[in-house]
Amino acid sequence: NADNYITVLGDKYPKDSKTNITSAIMDKLERKLHLQPSHPIGILRSMIETHYPGFTALSNFSPVVTPAMNFDDLSFPLDHPGRSLTDSYYINSDHMLRTHTSAHEVETFAKGIRQWLLTADVYRRDEIDGSHYPVFHQMEGARIFHDNPNGIKDLEEDNARLSAHLAKSNIVIEDVPHVTSTNPAQVSHNPKHAELVALNLKLSLNSLILDLFGGRAGAGEGEPLRVRWIEAYFPFTSPSYEVEVFFGGKWLEILGCGVVLQSTLDKANVPNSIGWAFGLGLERIAMILYSIPDIRLFWSQDPRFSSQFTPGQINTFKPFSRYPACYKDVSFWLPDKALHENDFCDLVRDAAGDFAEDVKLVDAFTHPKTGRSSQCFRINYRSMDR
Ligand code: PHE
């Protein structure tokens, strides 16, 4: 029976109780915006690749991965919320759409590649609004050093080179200590080497951020570029950080990163090495740099969008006629089994596609006698281009 199977990118998978991928999502799998040379996501990818000469650029990995690649190999605990059906798209129990580019860390390190950039579309179930979309793009960057006197010498030389470059640039960095009791180095690491790797990570990213954002109007006329480092937590790095950039009068989070967990490198069979990884959100950065007001625009095939961009260039996007918002409220009794807001949002996306700009829960009611509950959602329909 054809209904018992689902075909994803040409491969047939048996459906099971975990299958929750929708047809609106299936339509996105072939688009590969990051490979289009004149699309803002593709332009940004090649600008970042140019910033890191000597790094291997990878951008053709299938979005279909195993939960082992996406979670287990990266030490996600079994009860991590990211694994749930309400947060991730499953093809079946054994296959899912990657939720982050980190899903390819082990296989890439296992190929013997020691410094690389990997760009890909990633998938997460989410609410609907102007800055959230269930498909977006990430770039993972990683670099490992030999944990021996020669490797550490390379590391120290690279740190000196990057520090000298940043010292003569118009950038102000709010830093955090590399290592603290709440953001520790790994027990298997020489603490001095871990600090040098964390410093290299910070210098490498500060210099990328300077390259991308420095001297642009949103950073403040004649003002230095401001970058802020924050202690963070990820299951697969320690210490870990998040980075924010001050742009357009606001602090904006653009990436997560850290020193790669030794167990990840062990899985990849790379001995005697120590290094870092980062994952940056390309839509987030492109929306800031190009002043693109709505995340749905990246998926527009209207020439009034696509004709505005040129490879190697960052220009301010000129919005074309915006149509009026059209609000419709829908209310219904809830099923006995609870309804997750992400399930409702996927239903809306499947029916309305990109016409749905925003979905908000505006009212909830429980009948005093019967105990039944209802909810009311306000859907804002607005076409981007017609
Ligand atoms: N994969 C993480 C995310 O999507 C980001 C990250 C990448 C963090 C690499 C640390 C190291 O949030």
Side-chain angles (χ1 to χ4, degrees), residues 19-37:
T19 309
N20 68 349
I21 176 171
T22 65
S23 57
I25 289 298
M26 298 270 274
D27 290 346
K28 299 290 186 284
L29 295 170
E30 321 240 12
R31 292 283 300 276
K32 300 186 194 279
L33 302 183
H34 57 292
L35 296 183
Q36 297 179 22

Side-chain angles (χ1 to χ4, degrees), residues 272-385:
N272 310 323
S273 296
I274 180 169
W276 49 253
F278 65 74
L280 43 89
L282 293 180
E283 274 81 355
R284 202 70 206 283
I285 297 174
M287 288 175 83
I288 302 169
L289 288 176
Y290 289 90
S291 307
I292 294 173
D294 190 304
I295 196 165
R296 292 173 301 164
L297 277 162
F298 292 108
W299 299 92
S300 168
Q301 286 169 316
D302 190 309
R304 285 174 296 176
F305 177 76
S306 47
S307 66
Q308 291 197 28
F309 307 101
T310 314
Q313 212 175 290
I314 288 175
N315 52 288
T316 302
F317 171 71
K318 290 182 207 67
F320 43 89
S321 63
R322 283 266 276 172
Y323 288 81
C326 174
Y327 294 101
K328 299 288 179 197
D329 289 357
V330 55
S331 64
F332 44 84
W333 293 111
L334 291 175
D336 293 335
K337 165 178 157 291
L339 174 76
H340 195 286
E341 195 166 331
N342 287 353
D343 286 330
F344 183 66
C345 285
D346 255 335
L347 199 63
V348 174
R349 273 208 217 273
D350 236 26
D354 284 352
F355 291 129
E357 176 171 298
D358 199 85
V359 175
K360 267 200 209 76
L361 178 66
V362 289
D363 196 16
F365 166 76
T366 300
H367 193 284
K369 293 208 177 97
T370 64
R372 288 179 81 197
S373 295
S374 72
Q375 287 183 334
C376 177
F377 287 92
R378 179 157 299 162
I379 305 174
N380 174 11
Y381 296 91
R382 188 203 310 255
S383 168
M384 302 300 299
D385 41 36

Side-chain angles (χ1 to χ4, degrees), residues 99-102 105 124 138 140 234 236-237 256-258 277-279:
T99 65
H100 57 169
T101 42
S102 304
E105 278 191 13
R124 291 186 198 172
Q138 285 187 327
E140 191 93 355
F234 299 103
F236 45 97
T237 49
C257 62
F278 65 74

Side-chain angles (χ1 to χ4, degrees), residues 33-47 282:
L33 302 183
H34 57 292
L35 296 183
Q36 297 179 22
S38 296
H39 189 282
I41 300 297
I43 298 171
L44 198 52
R45 171 182 66 80
S46 58
M47 291 179 80
L282 293 180

